[in-house]
Amino acid sequence: MESREDGNVLKPAVARVMRLSIGFLALISCFILAESCADGAPICNLDNADKFKIPERWAARPVGARDFYIESPLEIQNQEVRVGNETRLFGEVPCWKQGVLRVSYGAMRDPDGTYYKEVLSQRDNPIIIYGRPKTMDTNALMRIKRDFGKRFLGVYALEWYSHPFLGNRGVEGVKTVCEEYKIPLVRNRDEAFHLFELHFKNTWGGLQAAGIPVYAGQATFMNHWECRMGVSITGEEIGGNERCTPMQLAFSRGASRQYDVPWVVYIASWGGGVVGDAETRYLFVRPDERRLNSTRSGGTYDVGPYSGTSWSLMKRMLYASYMAGTGVARKEGDKNAFFANFDADTVDSIPPCTLALQDRKTYLSPLGRIYERFYDTVTAGHERGIPYAPIALVFDKNHGCILEYSQIHTISCVPYGPGEWQTRAIINTVFPWEERRKETKSFESNTLVTGPFGDIFDVLTSDAGGEVLSSYRCLALVGNVRMNEGLEDRIKEHVKGGGVVFMAVAQMTPALWEAAGLEDGRADLQAKVWRVEGEDKRVEEDQSCTYRKAGLKGAEALIRTENGDPLVTIKREGKGAIVVGLAGWMTIDGPKPNRMLKVYSEVMGRIADELSPVKVSGNVEKLYNRNGKGWVVTLINNDGIYKYPGKKEVLKPEEAVEVSLEPRFAHGAVREWVTGAEMKELKLTVPPGDVRIVEIEEK
């Protein structure tokens, strides 16, 4: 048979040689391709359809007929406010007209009273009752539940779990509480949970027994503990004086998904006072006014438009909480925060003497107008979709972490051990906050922070069931996660189902050593430099780290020390994998190991990048949501606006961030929600201390 090439006739022998040569070259090409693929093989070995899918379990748990509400007190609904030349009732502004009404227990206990009749007969808003749980009559609450039906969301008392229990009044404070409950002094996290349980039942047990829904609420990471106690709503207090807001949201949303309850946020106004502490209040004639108030304990604090938390931070927290999936946003001190005696549009152009002499009017404050604009431009006409958080940080069920109140003790003043230090270090690595206040000299800087991997984390606890764990692509173990109650088996099942588990060698059991394809070399060695397998990448840690020598029994090395020992390994099982860091807890050495080693960030960064549906270039906080059209990417610039006690925010225009977006899917139209702009290219500028929300349609 003859072969033809470009019309020329080749003799059979020559043709055979050419065919063999072509085949050999093709074979060589396949080997080269296979080698390059092996070098860059993904950790999360799933196609995009699986990696970026939204499990049913992640669907929102709304508190009412709508998926989002802004909460406000009933007594301010009839306040008149001026906008330009118009006057209208606060309660007629859609932002609050369609919101949750907060009513005091005292006002609602009388069924013949004005408040009761007004909210029952004239409105259809959901309501929440606040007050001191121990003083509430269950019969009165049962009547409210009967009359209001699903509109009655429940009762709440913020910070019900007070400071002596938390341990920030020292061991003596905890000792007093333990004596009150007739138990020995708390010595460990399990005993701390027992104390928590006793106090919860003492506070809320009577109401729960009567079938009254409960929202407890506090500024700690105790969401899962409250959910185990049966709360109907979970959530956290966030604000200018809290620590690491993205992690607070991750705890709330993770608990919501683990326990099937809604979650809410309470945005505080405190922090950064000229004298003592401070609270943001706008009911002044000029924005630069300030006055001192007395505390119950005899101290003083200042209040004013420039006191407390900045409008920029409160705005960013509102947007971040909403896009993170909260069902309700409540502003602390809303009776003072949403009203002002000056018009923000004109106040800077009017002489102070004129302002002081003119008739006093009530306007929507600058913050009130931020809420109104947010509601009108973002929530109306747009579908926020379902927040995408493919990485679950798995804490022990009795972790006791109370970062807001202590960074050296867990709840009830239990001192940190190595696992608790790793907990703090992981939090400080995925959302670096600890040095921010020192770096910027701005008291707000350690709250809403920009993490290097994006806000793609939920927090689960070790008692989460297999169906909960399997809804996440990656499980990353945090701190002293005990493998009792079947967690070890659930981890193995997660890997068999195509999931990834990332842990430190200090967290492993003998069975997990085997599952990870490793043999314990029973020797601790030192290393400072490591390199990534298959890449020309060499990294030096800030200090030497201690790692465990291990033999590969089915695992591969992802990262090796400079002398060739495995430092991070991966054992693949189908599309799943177990990834192990062999450097102890993977924290820096020393008496205060509050940061993870660079090698931890290398692995977490690689996982996060693989699981991000849109690659974002630019130093901004980023959140992802999946809606009916495609993907929504929220971009928050946490730099460029700095708050100092008693002063107006300092704006630094040069800290605007240029952002480019790279979708990992075929896309169509792109639009930005905040400005309403249609985007011709996937680039935009996020101004200092501001937010942009980009919707990318998927083809």
Side-chain angles (χ1 to χ4, degrees), residues 203-215:
T203 305
W204 300 101
L207 299 181
Q208 285 186 315
I212 304 300
V214 165
Y215 160 41

Side-chain angles (χ1 to χ4, degrees), residues 196-245:
F196 179 98
E197 186 177 36
L198 287 173
H199 188 53
F200 186 96
K201 290 179 178 179
N202 183 52
T203 305
W204 300 101
L207 299 181
Q208 285 186 315
I212 304 300
V214 165
Y215 160 41
Q218 48 195 319
T220 69
F221 292 167
M222 296 292 100
N223 304 83
H224 298 77
W225 285 22
E226 290 181 339
C227 288
R228 280 163 65 188
M229 295 292 95
V231 297
S232 303
I233 300 173
T234 189
E236 294 227 15
E237 176 183 349
I238 62 177
N241 231 10
E242 317 303 337
R243 292 171 174 83
C244 201
T245 300

Side-chain angles (χ1 to χ4, degrees), residues 9 17 33 40 67 91 110 263-264 316 334 353 389 438 446 473 497 530 538 565 627 661:
V9 178
V17 171
L33 180 61
D67 75 340
D110 180 7
W263 67 280
V264 305
R316 283 178 277 136
D334 34 24
C353 290
K438 188 183 298 183
N446 64 0
R473 313 298 174 270
W530 49 264
R538 179 180 178 279
D565 286 336
N627 69 7
L661 307 173

Side-chain angles (χ1 to χ4, degrees), residues 413-486:
C413 224
V414 177
Y416 273 15
E420 286 76 33
W421 278 109
Q422 195 220 36
T423 297
R424 174 175 164 185
I426 287 178
I427 292 171
N428 194 34
T429 298
V430 298
F431 296 116
W433 67 273
E434 289 199 31
E435 302 301 321
R436 289 279 296 157
R437 183 176 289 188
K438 188 183 298 183
E439 291 167 2
T440 66
K441 305 295 189 292
S442 173
F443 80 92
E444 296 180 341
S445 295
N446 64 0
T447 54
L448 197 61
V449 293
T450 301
F453 315 117
D455 294 18
I456 59 172
F457 302 92
D458 278 348
V459 172
L460 304 178
T461 48
S462 56
D463 52 342
E467 74 284 358
V468 177
L469 299 177
S470 65
S471 66
Y472 293 86
R473 313 298 174 270
C474 176
L475 309 178
L477 305 190
V478 180
N480 286 312
V481 185
R482 289 168 290 187
M483 292 297 155
N484 55 0
E485 301 177 354

Side-chain angles (χ1 to χ4, degrees), residues 76-117:
I76 67 174
Q77 302 301 305
N78 293 325
Q79 171 68 53
E80 290 187 344
V81 291
R82 294 177 63 87
V83 179
N85 295 322
E86 296 182 0
T87 299
R88 52 181 170 166
L89 294 180
F90 176 82
E92 291 302 313
V93 180
C95 177
W96 294 282
K97 182 177 183 179
Q98 299 167 352
V100 169
L101 293 177
R102 181 173 73 257
V103 192
S104 72
Y105 169 72
M108 288 294 288
R109 65 183 303 171
D110 180 7
D112 297 319
T114 302
Y115 279 115
Y116 200 102
K117 290 182 177 179

Side-chain angles (χ1 to χ4, degrees), residues 4 100 255 410 542:
R4 294 181 178 271
V100 169
T410 64
D542 295 330

Side-chain angles (χ1 to χ4, degrees), residues 634-652:
T634 302
L635 309 166
I636 305 176
N637 184 356
N638 290 314
D639 293 320
I641 286 189
Y642 301 98
K643 186 69 172 64
Y644 304 99
K647 297 180 180 179
K648 186 178 182 180
E649 303 93 310
V650 176
L651 175 67
K652 295 186 178 181

Side-chain angles (χ1 to χ4, degrees), residues 26 33 122 132 147 206 249 255 263 279 285 299 303 311 348 387 457 464 504 544 552 637 647 694:
L33 180 61
Q122 299 180 25
R132 296 169 59 190
D147 290 348
L249 301 182
W263 67 280
E279 182 185 7
V285 174
V303 299
W311 64 264
D348 290 336
F457 302 92
S544 293
L552 302 180
N637 184 356
K647 297 180 180 179
V694 180

